[in-house]
Amino acid sequence: MAQADLETFSFHNTDGPKGWQGFSVEWQRGLIRGEAEGFWSLPMTEQHVAAWIKCVRRIHSEGRPVRVIADLRRAQTQSQEVASMVQRQVAGLYREGDRIAVIVEASLLKTQLRRVLNSDRAMYFPDADEGERWVLSD
């Protein structure tokens, strides 16, 4: 893979509890690999979501479906404020043909994510390898 094909984004809480969100994009494959941990502040999550949306829209503008692997096994259930903001921002973002594998173990976080994403393009997996196989299968 050419270096220009891979772009990485990282966001950290600057105050409050420890939290982190990041993702990389393989532009040629239309693949976004995300990871997060801890508790997310609203400002950090707003930056993360804005960058994420921009990447999804760029892939769509090139006529390709988006493939997402989001590893949230180290994330906590988030505040209602953060969850609501994400839900509003990603509503209608994903299209027919997109695939979103969410890697998550905690049932409470999984329940929150199902409400937030509200997408039939998302599947939830406790195992990262299984999620990746599903996302990359045709």
Side-chain angles (χ1 to χ4, degrees):
M1 161 180 21
Q3 188 64 22
D5 182 50
L6 182 66
E7 192 168 355
T8 303
F9 301 82
S10 184
F11 306 89
H12 299 266
N13 281 341
T14 55
D15 59 345
K18 181 182 175 190
W20 172 82
Q21 300 166 326
F23 65 95
S24 63
V25 182
E26 292 179 41
W27 293 111
Q28 207 161 23
R29 295 174 74 187
L31 177 63
I32 302 173
R33 292 180 185 271
E35 192 174 354
E37 68 179 42
F39 194 75
W40 313 334
S41 70
L42 187 59
M44 175 187 71
T45 306
E46 288 171 336
Q47 291 175 350
H48 170 88
V49 170
W52 185 281
I53 289 170
K54 196 174 188 179
C55 293
V56 169
R57 287 184 177 154
R58 175 178 163 187
I59 294 166
H60 283 158
S61 75
E62 294 169 358
R64 294 178 292 121
V66 173
R67 299 291 188 243
V68 173
I69 302 168
D71 188 345
L72 302 178
R73 291 176 290 182
R74 295 183 306 189
Q76 297 176 2
T77 302
Q78 303 303 313
S79 71
Q80 187 58 47
E81 182 181 36
V82 166
S84 294
M85 184 278 300
V86 173
Q87 185 176 29
R88 283 190 309 275
Q89 294 296 316
V90 301
L93 180 63
Y94 297 104
R95 298 178 178 174
E96 184 73 30
D98 292 346
R99 286 189 180 191
I100 307 154
V102 181
I103 315 305
V104 62
E105 294 171 344
S107 59
L108 187 56
L109 178 57
K110 183 177 176 180
T111 300
Q112 184 180 52
L113 289 166
R114 283 185 192 274
R115 278 194 314 270
V116 168
L117 283 177
N118 190 25
S119 174
D120 59 356
R121 289 149 192 36
M123 295 283 292
Y124 300 83
F125 301 89
D127 178 75
D129 291 336
E130 185 180 353
E132 185 167 340
R133 277 192 299 276
W134 176 76
V135 160
L136 298 177
S137 67
D138 286 326

mmCIF file of all heavy atoms in Angstrom, residues 37-40 72-80 82-83 104 106-113 115-116:
data_model
loop_
_atom_site.group_PDB
_atom_site.id
_atom_site.type_symbol
_atom_site.label_atom_id
_atom_site.label_comp_id
_atom_site.label_asym_id
_atom_site.label_seq_id
_atom_site.Cartn_x
_atom_site.Cartn_y
_atom_site.Cartn_z
ATOM 1 N N GLU A 37 -11.174 4.288 23.315
ATOM 2 C CA GLU A 37 -11.128 3.767 24.680
ATOM 3 C C GLU A 37 -11.624 4.828 25.645
ATOM 4 O O GLU A 37 -11.635 6.025 25.327
ATOM 5 C CB GLU A 37 -9.731 3.312 25.062
ATOM 6 C CG GLU A 37 -8.715 4.410 25.200
ATOM 7 C CD GLU A 37 -7.339 3.889 25.616
ATOM 8 O OE1 GLU A 37 -6.901 2.854 25.097
ATOM 9 O OE2 GLU A 37 -6.715 4.548 26.464
ATOM 10 N N GLY A 38 -12.041 4.369 26.804
ATOM 11 C CA GLY A 38 -12.431 5.259 27.883
ATOM 12 C C GLY A 38 -13.717 6.015 27.636
ATOM 13 O O GLY A 38 -14.599 5.592 26.896
ATOM 14 N N PHE A 39 -13.778 7.153 28.281
ATOM 15 C CA PHE A 39 -14.944 8.025 28.257
ATOM 16 C C PHE A 39 -14.627 9.208 27.363
ATOM 17 O O PHE A 39 -13.554 9.780 27.455
ATOM 18 C CB PHE A 39 -15.241 8.498 29.694
ATOM 19 C CG PHE A 39 -16.579 9.118 29.849
ATOM 20 C CD1 PHE A 39 -17.729 8.346 29.861
ATOM 21 C CD2 PHE A 39 -16.691 10.484 29.992
ATOM 22 C CE1 PHE A 39 -18.971 8.928 30.009
ATOM 23 C CE2 PHE A 39 -17.933 11.081 30.144
ATOM 24 C CZ PHE A 39 -19.079 10.303 30.157
ATOM 25 N N TRP A 40 -15.548 9.604 26.484
ATOM 26 C CA TRP A 40 -15.285 10.624 25.485
ATOM 27 C C TRP A 40 -15.911 11.949 25.863
ATOM 28 O O TRP A 40 -17.087 12.023 26.195
ATOM 29 C CB TRP A 40 -15.824 10.201 24.133
ATOM 30 C CG TRP A 40 -15.483 8.804 23.737
ATOM 31 C CD1 TRP A 40 -14.417 8.063 24.149
ATOM 32 C CD2 TRP A 40 -16.226 7.963 22.864
ATOM 33 N NE1 TRP A 40 -14.435 6.828 23.572
ATOM 34 C CE2 TRP A 40 -15.549 6.732 22.784
ATOM 35 C CE3 TRP A 40 -17.396 8.130 22.143
ATOM 36 C CZ2 TRP A 40 -16.005 5.676 22.000
ATOM 37 C CZ3 TRP A 40 -17.847 7.074 21.361
ATOM 38 C CH2 TRP A 40 -17.154 5.868 21.295
ATOM 39 N N LEU A 72 -14.394 -1.087 19.657
ATOM 40 C CA LEU A 72 -14.800 -0.321 20.843
ATOM 41 C C LEU A 72 -14.765 -1.178 22.106
ATOM 42 O O LEU A 72 -15.448 -0.876 23.083
ATOM 43 C CB LEU A 72 -16.202 0.260 20.619
ATOM 44 C CG LEU A 72 -16.313 1.168 19.392
ATOM 45 C CD1 LEU A 72 -17.735 1.664 19.217
ATOM 46 C CD2 LEU A 72 -15.346 2.333 19.489
ATOM 47 N N ARG A 73 -13.937 -2.205 22.097
ATOM 48 C CA ARG A 73 -13.858 -3.088 23.267
ATOM 49 C C ARG A 73 -13.308 -2.386 24.500
ATOM 50 O O ARG A 73 -13.603 -2.806 25.616
ATOM 51 C CB ARG A 73 -13.013 -4.326 22.951
ATOM 52 C CG ARG A 73 -13.702 -5.254 21.954
ATOM 53 C CD ARG A 73 -12.823 -6.409 21.572
ATOM 54 N NE ARG A 73 -11.720 -5.903 20.748
ATOM 55 C CZ ARG A 73 -10.793 -6.675 20.212
ATOM 56 N NH1 ARG A 73 -10.800 -7.981 20.431
ATOM 57 N NH2 ARG A 73 -9.832 -6.152 19.463
ATOM 58 N N ARG A 74 -12.537 -1.326 24.325
ATOM 59 C CA ARG A 74 -11.966 -0.613 25.485
ATOM 60 C C ARG A 74 -12.715 0.680 25.788
ATOM 61 O O ARG A 74 -12.293 1.467 26.633
ATOM 62 C CB ARG A 74 -10.485 -0.332 25.254
ATOM 63 C CG ARG A 74 -9.667 -1.619 25.179
ATOM 64 C CD ARG A 74 -8.223 -1.339 25.020
ATOM 65 N NE ARG A 74 -8.036 -0.446 23.864
ATOM 66 C CZ ARG A 74 -6.884 -0.120 23.328
ATOM 67 N NH1 ARG A 74 -5.782 -0.594 23.830
ATOM 68 N NH2 ARG A 74 -6.810 0.669 22.294
ATOM 69 N N ALA A 75 -13.817 0.903 25.084
ATOM 70 C CA ALA A 75 -14.618 2.112 25.320
ATOM 71 C C ALA A 75 -15.649 1.847 26.414
ATOM 72 O O ALA A 75 -16.038 0.710 26.657
ATOM 73 C CB ALA A 75 -15.327 2.533 24.039
ATOM 74 N N GLN A 76 -16.069 2.923 27.040
ATOM 75 C CA GLN A 76 -17.116 2.854 28.056
ATOM 76 C C GLN A 76 -18.436 3.302 27.453
ATOM 77 O O GLN A 76 -18.461 3.933 26.397
ATOM 78 C CB GLN A 76 -16.765 3.777 29.226
ATOM 79 C CG GLN A 76 -15.500 3.400 29.947
ATOM 80 C CD GLN A 76 -15.158 4.421 31.026
ATOM 81 O OE1 GLN A 76 -15.871 5.374 31.267
ATOM 82 N NE2 GLN A 76 -14.036 4.205 31.680
ATOM 83 N N THR A 77 -19.512 2.992 28.134
ATOM 84 C CA THR A 77 -20.800 3.561 27.754
ATOM 85 C C THR A 77 -20.656 5.069 27.902
ATOM 86 O O THR A 77 -20.103 5.559 28.884
ATOM 87 C CB THR A 77 -21.917 3.020 28.666
ATOM 88 O OG1 THR A 77 -21.916 1.598 28.566
ATOM 89 C CG2 THR A 77 -23.265 3.554 28.251
ATOM 90 N N GLN A 78 -21.133 5.827 26.919
ATOM 91 C CA GLN A 78 -20.907 7.268 26.877
ATOM 92 C C GLN A 78 -22.089 8.054 27.445
ATOM 93 O O GLN A 78 -23.189 7.518 27.592
ATOM 94 C CB GLN A 78 -20.618 7.689 25.441
ATOM 95 C CG GLN A 78 -19.441 6.974 24.826
ATOM 96 C CD GLN A 78 -18.146 7.145 25.612
ATOM 97 O OE1 GLN A 78 -17.804 8.252 26.007
ATOM 98 N NE2 GLN A 78 -17.411 6.054 25.829
ATOM 99 N N SER A 79 -21.853 9.328 27.718
ATOM 100 C CA SER A 79 -22.916 10.194 28.243
ATOM 101 C C SER A 79 -24.022 10.328 27.205
ATOM 102 O O SER A 79 -23.793 10.175 25.999
ATOM 103 C CB SER A 79 -22.366 11.579 28.578
ATOM 104 O OG SER A 79 -22.053 12.281 27.381
ATOM 105 N N GLN A 80 -25.212 10.651 27.659
ATOM 106 C CA GLN A 80 -26.333 10.849 26.748
ATOM 107 C C GLN A 80 -26.047 11.991 25.786
ATOM 108 O O GLN A 80 -26.408 11.949 24.618
ATOM 109 C CB GLN A 80 -27.630 11.111 27.518
ATOM 110 C CG GLN A 80 -28.857 11.167 26.634
ATOM 111 C CD GLN A 80 -29.056 9.890 25.830
ATOM 112 O OE1 GLN A 80 -28.973 8.788 26.354
ATOM 113 N NE2 GLN A 80 -29.298 10.033 24.533
ATOM 114 N N VAL A 82 -23.114 12.935 24.513
ATOM 115 C CA VAL A 82 -22.216 12.457 23.461
ATOM 116 C C VAL A 82 -22.970 11.519 22.516
ATOM 117 O O VAL A 82 -22.887 11.656 21.292
ATOM 118 C CB VAL A 82 -20.976 11.758 24.068
ATOM 119 C CG1 VAL A 82 -20.215 10.956 23.017
ATOM 120 C CG2 VAL A 82 -20.049 12.784 24.706
ATOM 121 N N ALA A 83 -23.717 10.578 23.062
ATOM 122 C CA ALA A 83 -24.460 9.622 22.238
ATOM 123 C C ALA A 83 -25.457 10.334 21.327
ATOM 124 O O ALA A 83 -25.562 10.016 20.136
ATOM 125 C CB ALA A 83 -25.172 8.603 23.122
ATOM 126 N N VAL A 104 -17.403 -5.083 19.910
ATOM 127 C CA VAL A 104 -17.821 -4.628 21.239
ATOM 128 C C VAL A 104 -18.189 -5.841 22.090
ATOM 129 O O VAL A 104 -18.771 -6.806 21.585
ATOM 130 C CB VAL A 104 -18.997 -3.630 21.131
ATOM 131 C CG1 VAL A 104 -20.217 -4.256 20.504
ATOM 132 C CG2 VAL A 104 -19.339 -2.999 22.472
ATOM 133 N N ALA A 106 -19.161 -5.316 25.811
ATOM 134 C CA ALA A 106 -20.093 -4.913 26.871
ATOM 135 C C ALA A 106 -21.507 -4.756 26.302
ATOM 136 O O ALA A 106 -21.723 -4.031 25.341
ATOM 137 C CB ALA A 106 -19.631 -3.609 27.509
ATOM 138 N N SER A 107 -22.460 -5.425 26.923
ATOM 139 C CA SER A 107 -23.824 -5.405 26.388
ATOM 140 C C SER A 107 -24.482 -4.031 26.515
ATOM 141 O O SER A 107 -25.261 -3.639 25.651
ATOM 142 C CB SER A 107 -24.678 -6.474 27.058
ATOM 143 O OG SER A 107 -24.735 -6.276 28.447
ATOM 144 N N LEU A 108 -24.170 -3.281 27.562
ATOM 145 C CA LEU A 108 -24.758 -1.945 27.712
ATOM 146 C C LEU A 108 -24.242 -1.004 26.620
ATOM 147 O O LEU A 108 -25.017 -0.255 26.008
ATOM 148 C CB LEU A 108 -24.460 -1.368 29.099
ATOM 149 C CG LEU A 108 -25.141 -0.054 29.442
ATOM 150 C CD1 LEU A 108 -26.663 -0.169 29.305
ATOM 151 C CD2 LEU A 108 -24.788 0.354 30.868
ATOM 152 N N LEU A 109 -22.958 -1.056 26.335
ATOM 153 C CA LEU A 109 -22.397 -0.239 25.255
ATOM 154 C C LEU A 109 -22.965 -0.684 23.908
ATOM 155 O O LEU A 109 -23.308 0.150 23.068
ATOM 156 C CB LEU A 109 -20.866 -0.327 25.245
ATOM 157 C CG LEU A 109 -20.142 0.441 24.144
ATOM 158 C CD1 LEU A 109 -20.497 1.928 24.185
ATOM 159 C CD2 LEU A 109 -18.640 0.249 24.269
ATOM 160 N N LYS A 110 -23.115 -1.979 23.708
ATOM 161 C CA LYS A 110 -23.686 -2.491 22.460
ATOM 162 C C LYS A 110 -25.111 -1.964 22.271
ATOM 163 O O LYS A 110 -25.481 -1.533 21.175
ATOM 164 C CB LYS A 110 -23.680 -4.020 22.477
ATOM 165 C CG LYS A 110 -24.175 -4.651 21.206
ATOM 166 C CD LYS A 110 -24.048 -6.169 21.327
ATOM 167 C CE LYS A 110 -24.595 -6.888 20.140
ATOM 168 N NZ LYS A 110 -24.448 -8.352 20.285
ATOM 169 N N THR A 111 -25.890 -1.953 23.331
ATOM 170 C CA THR A 111 -27.256 -1.428 23.271
ATOM 171 C C THR A 111 -27.240 0.045 22.893
ATOM 172 O O THR A 111 -28.014 0.495 22.046
ATOM 173 C CB THR A 111 -27.971 -1.633 24.621
ATOM 174 O OG1 THR A 111 -28.014 -3.037 24.893
ATOM 175 C CG2 THR A 111 -29.374 -1.071 24.604
ATOM 176 N N GLN A 112 -26.347 0.821 23.514
ATOM 177 C CA GLN A 112 -26.234 2.250 23.202
ATOM 178 C C GLN A 112 -25.826 2.444 21.737
ATOM 179 O O GLN A 112 -26.395 3.285 21.043
ATOM 180 C CB GLN A 112 -25.218 2.916 24.132
ATOM 181 C CG GLN A 112 -25.127 4.420 23.935
ATOM 182 C CD GLN A 112 -24.122 5.075 24.866
ATOM 183 O OE1 GLN A 112 -22.975 4.649 24.928
ATOM 184 N NE2 GLN A 112 -24.568 6.086 25.590
ATOM 185 N N LEU A 113 -24.883 1.659 21.264
ATOM 186 C CA LEU A 113 -24.413 1.792 19.887
ATOM 187 C C LEU A 113 -25.494 1.443 18.871
ATOM 188 O O LEU A 113 -25.601 2.079 17.831
ATOM 189 C CB LEU A 113 -23.187 0.910 19.671
ATOM 190 C CG LEU A 113 -21.926 1.391 20.378
ATOM 191 C CD1 LEU A 113 -20.874 0.298 20.386
ATOM 192 C CD2 LEU A 113 -21.401 2.659 19.732
ATOM 193 N N ARG A 115 -28.644 1.990 19.187
ATOM 194 C CA ARG A 115 -29.516 3.175 19.115
ATOM 195 C C ARG A 115 -28.833 4.303 18.352
ATOM 196 O O ARG A 115 -29.457 4.989 17.548
ATOM 197 C CB ARG A 115 -29.883 3.660 20.525
ATOM 198 C CG ARG A 115 -31.018 2.921 21.158
ATOM 199 C CD ARG A 115 -31.551 3.658 22.374
ATOM 200 N NE ARG A 115 -30.533 4.149 23.283
ATOM 201 C CZ ARG A 115 -30.031 3.472 24.306
ATOM 202 N NH1 ARG A 115 -30.445 2.252 24.569
ATOM 203 N NH2 ARG A 115 -29.117 4.005 25.087
ATOM 204 N N VAL A 116 -27.560 4.509 18.625
ATOM 205 C CA VAL A 116 -26.826 5.616 18.007
ATOM 206 C C VAL A 116 -26.678 5.399 16.505
ATOM 207 O O VAL A 116 -26.968 6.294 15.711
ATOM 208 C CB VAL A 116 -25.449 5.805 18.682
ATOM 209 C CG1 VAL A 116 -24.556 6.726 17.878
ATOM 210 C CG2 VAL A 116 -25.626 6.344 20.100
#
